[in-house]
């Protein structure tokens, strides 16, 4: 965990803390940032706006926590986590069902009609197109290849045993596959879910807006940087996000780069009645 105060920044400069949400870079004045920390325990608040995730505690003070992705009209990180976890759980169940159907087809003496091509099942299609910069996740997903291919190939070995009338052998092949290759895939699915949760760990910026303070969730803090006046331009859109005012007040361009940073006004990110007064 890190907890980095920004009080050391001088009053004669107005740098911005920049951070990433999905593929976009945002920034807030460093003068409004009280601290940064890993996301702590969150207590839900009944009937709060959907973008208010709950309350966190900082040095004995309870502060609202704003899901900044939701506030800006994006999908929440929590929803991304749930969606990815549910997808992996569904692909795991697919292969449990695949092997169970193979077993049933032998027992009931009927053709096995599910795919024997490891690239044609839903997991195989996802696997063939998966890409990530996270080395841990990349290594886990790569280890799926061998057991996944062997599971789909076992249908041919079972068919040969059935054709030869050796039903005991076909049952043995299926049971061995269930205890070995399928069990290995189940382990990898659990490891992939854990790795993804760790990869998308959020950071909290605690912001002050006048007399009020609150936390916002961000995907990752980028830097503390200064934008020249000639690199700033007012927000040309300034349209509401949902029923709230657009908090993007200006655009900044990074020096020696074409990357545009959207600069936010902390006072416009949520309503004052949703905030907590700053402790004296």
């Amino acid at each position: 965990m890190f907890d980095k105060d920004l009080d050391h920044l001088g009053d004669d400069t107005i740098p911005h803390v920049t951070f990433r949400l999905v593929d976009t870079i945002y920034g807030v004045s460093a003068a409004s940032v009280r601290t940064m920390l890993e996301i702590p325990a969150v207590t839900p608040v009944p009937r709060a706006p959907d973008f208010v995730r709950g309350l966190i505690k900082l040095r004995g003070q309870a502060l609202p926590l704003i899901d900044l992705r939701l506030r800006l009209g994006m999908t929440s990180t929590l929803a991304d986590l749930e969606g990815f976890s549910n997808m992996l759980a569904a692909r795991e169940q697919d292969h449990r069902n695949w092997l169970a159907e193979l077993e049933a087809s032998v027992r009931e003496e009927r053709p096995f009609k599910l795919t024997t091509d490891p690239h044609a099942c839903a997991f195989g299609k996802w696997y063939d197109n998966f890409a990530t910069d996270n080395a841990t996740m990349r290594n886990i997903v790569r280890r799926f290849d061998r057991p996944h291919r062997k599971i789909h190939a076992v249908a041919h070995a079972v068919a040969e045993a059935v054709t030869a009338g050796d039903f005991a052998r076909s049952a043995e092949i299926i049971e061995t596959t269930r205890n070995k290759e399928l069990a290995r895939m189940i382990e990898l699915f659990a490891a992939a879910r854990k790795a993804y949760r760790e990869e998308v760990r959020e950071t909290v910026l605690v912001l002050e807006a006048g007399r009020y303070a609150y936390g916002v969730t961000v995907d990752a803090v980028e830097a503390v940087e200064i934008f020249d006046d000639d690199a700033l331009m007012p927000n040309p859109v300034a349209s509401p996000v949902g029923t709230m005012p657009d908090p993007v007040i200006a655009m900044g361009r990074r020096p020696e780069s074409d990357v545009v940073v959207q600069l936010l006004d902390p006072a416009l990110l949520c309503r004052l009645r949703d905030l907590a007064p700053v402790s004296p």
Side-chain angles (χ1 to χ4, degrees):
M1 175 180 290
F2 67 94
D3 184 337
K4 182 179 179 181
D5 288 310
L6 301 171
D7 296 338
H8 66 282
L9 294 170
D11 294 333
D12 55 337
T13 63
I14 307 179
H16 284 76
V17 175
T18 56
F19 52 88
R20 178 174 49 81
L21 291 174
V22 192
D23 296 323
T24 304
I25 306 300
Y26 293 88
V28 291
S29 169
S32 67
V33 180
R34 180 193 286 190
T35 193
M36 310 180 218
L37 63 154
E38 288 186 1
I39 189 165
V42 181
T43 302
V45 178
R47 296 183 295 279
D50 61 352
F51 58 81
V52 177
R53 194 177 289 183
L55 296 175
I56 60 173
K57 282 193 175 180
L58 179 66
R59 298 164 190 164
Q61 183 182 16
L63 301 177
L65 180 64
I66 305 301
D67 188 317
L68 197 50
R69 281 201 188 188
L70 283 180
R71 172 63 183 88
L72 297 176
M74 305 175 189
T75 301
S76 171
T77 297
L78 296 181
D80 281 350
L81 278 169
E82 182 178 8
F84 187 79
S85 180
N86 289 345
M87 182 277 292
L88 290 181
R91 301 293 75 81
E92 177 183 324
Q93 190 61 47
D94 287 347
H95 287 80
R96 290 177 185 266
N97 294 345
W98 188 95
L99 203 58
E101 171 59 16
L102 179 62
E103 187 174 41
S105 70
V106 173
R107 183 176 61 250
E108 297 167 11
E109 299 184 13
R110 56 180 172 79
F112 179 66
K113 296 183 178 181
L114 298 182
T115 183
T116 59
D117 181 355
H119 302 285
C121 71
F123 175 77
K125 293 175 182 178
W126 173 84
Y127 177 89
D128 289 342
N129 292 283
F130 178 78
T132 180
D133 293 330
N134 184 281
T136 300
M137 177 64 80
R138 188 166 57 246
N139 183 50
I140 290 171
V141 172
R142 187 183 297 122
R143 297 206 299 269
F144 274 103
D145 183 60
R146 182 178 176 83
H148 182 234
R149 284 189 292 103
K150 292 191 75 172
I151 283 178
H152 282 275
V154 79
H156 300 295
V158 168
E160 290 176 1
V162 169
T163 300
D166 193 345
F167 291 94
R169 174 60 179 158
S170 66
E172 180 185 350
I173 293 171
I174 292 170
E175 190 61 20
T176 299
T177 302
R178 179 177 286 116
N179 293 333
K180 189 175 180 181
E181 282 78 21
L182 181 60
R184 179 56 175 155
M185 285 192 68
I186 291 170
E187 290 176 357
L188 290 171
F189 277 121
R193 287 191 289 266
K194 179 180 178 182
Y196 189 73
R197 285 194 300 270
E198 294 175 350
E199 178 186 359
V200 298
R201 231 174 241 170
E202 297 170 295
T203 297
V204 173
L205 296 183
V206 177
L207 306 180
E208 294 184 356
R211 299 184 302 106
Y212 298 89
Y214 60 98
V216 296
T217 58
V218 304
D219 293 357
V221 174
E222 293 272 312
V224 178
E225 49 194 304
I226 297 175
F227 296 95
D228 296 332
D229 289 341
D230 57 4
L232 295 175
M233 64 192 92
N235 181 5
V237 181
S239 58
V241 176
T243 59
M244 301 285 290
D246 189 344
V248 179
I249 55 173
M251 307 286 185
R253 191 174 297 278
R254 282 178 164 168
E256 303 177 1
S257 169
D258 290 332
V259 175
V260 173
V261 178
Q262 300 189 39
L263 304 179
L264 305 173
D265 183 345
L268 298 178
L269 283 173
C270 56
R271 300 166 300 194
L272 293 182
R273 66 175 180 268
D274 296 321
L275 305 183
V278 174
S279 298

